[in-house]
Amino acid sequence: MLKVEHLRAFYGKAQALEDISFEVNQGEIICILGNNGAGKSTTLMSISGVMKQKEGVIHFKGSDIGKKQPHEIVALGISQVPEGRRIFPTLTVEENLKMGGFLKKRIDKEKIGEIYELFPRLKERKNQLGGSLSGGEQQMLAIGRALISEPQLLMLDEPSLGLAPQIIDMIFDSIISLRKRGMTILLIEQNAELALEVSDRAYVIELGRTVLTADSETLRKDRSIQSIYMGQQHLLHG
Ligand SMILES: Nc1ncnc2c1ncn2[C@@H]1O[C@H](COP(=O)(O)OP(=O)(O)O)[C@@H](O)[C@H]1O
Ligand SMILES: [Mg+2]
């Protein structure tokens, strides 16, 4: 579904991505792991079209999307949930959800209903302002907003960041139930333990390069690989 080959990206003269390659097949949950600053967010922003200074191959369902604008990429079927959620604090929950459908003429009531089914907490708070939600609820809202455009590929940038363990479990349960409904997901995480639990395959990136790929199951069992590539701190969790 998605093929990224030898992706390089730059912030001015500084090269953030040196050589990133990976593939996502339909129906998979793929995770990209890597320490802070490795280039995970830059990779996602390159795919979603936010990052312009880039070279290499980005193909989605066989067509080259490397030069396309963010709204065109959403229209083609890729939605991104950005790091730090970035919901609209002065809009209500329901208004935030509707913003996710800005490309559509009409937003399906049913679609909003589906999102409330996935996240009942959002339904309870549909008239509350986005800014008044807890971190976990804002993450649910950011995911819900990305789903309104009915993506075929959903990209999540560190959904667990800054959330309490119980809330993280709720978010990851929703990722699993999205997968059961047939969604293809590209998940970016610093929390390797957690990401490997829900994903099929994993790629590890280090200093802007893909350095390792494996089945998530294999990687989960191989503690030595984890300690080399993902830092000892991950061994203490889970
Ligand atoms: N807006 C920016 N301007 C300049 N450099 C940046 C910017 N954003 C990220 N970088 C740099 O690009 C590299 C990759 O960052 P990023 O993709 O955010 O990593 P990650 O998401 O894995 O933590 C880092 O060296 C970071 O300092
Ligand atoms: Mg990041």
Side-chain angles (χ1 to χ4, degrees), residues 74 78-81 96-101 104 107-108 111-112 114-119 122 139-156 174-175 177-179 181 183-185:
V74 173
I78 303 180
S79 275
Q80 178 184 13
V81 181
N96 264 281
L97 288 177
K98 287 179 176 164
M99 291 299 279
K104 299 192 156 189
I107 291 169
D108 222 336
K111 195 72 215 166
I112 292 188
E114 273 175 36
I115 285 157
Y116 287 153
E117 211 176 279
L118 187 65
F119 299 117
L122 293 183
Q139 184 64 58
M140 294 171 196
L141 182 54
I143 296 172
R145 186 180 58 186
L147 291 172
I148 290 281
S149 63
E150 302 184 57
Q152 295 163 49
L153 172 65
L154 181 68
M155 306 196 295
L156 301 161
S174 70
I175 293 173
S177 62
L178 279 170
R179 191 288 184 70
R181 298 176 194 195
M183 184 67 73
T184 307
I185 297 170

Side-chain angles (χ1 to χ4, degrees), residues 11-12 14-17 34-43 45 83 157-158 188 190 205:
Y11 292 101
Q15 188 164 2
L17 302 182
N35 291 323
N36 202 12
K40 303 182 298 298
S41 296
T42 306
T43 299
M45 289 190 293
E83 185 176 336
D157 194 346
E158 305 222 30
I188 289 216
Q190 266 190 71
I205 69 176

Side-chain angles (χ1 to χ4, degrees), residues 45-57:
M45 289 190 293
S46 299
I47 298 165
S48 64
V50 176
M51 163 54 91
K52 309 280 184 210
Q53 259 194 291
K54 63 195 168 192
E55 294 163 5
V57 173

Side-chain angles (χ1 to χ4, degrees), residues 61-79:
K61 295 195 295 172
S63 63
D64 183 354
I65 60 164
K67 300 264 184 313
K68 295 209 183 296
Q69 296 299 315
H71 68 273
E72 297 175 307
I73 290 169
V74 173
L76 284 170
I78 303 180
S79 275

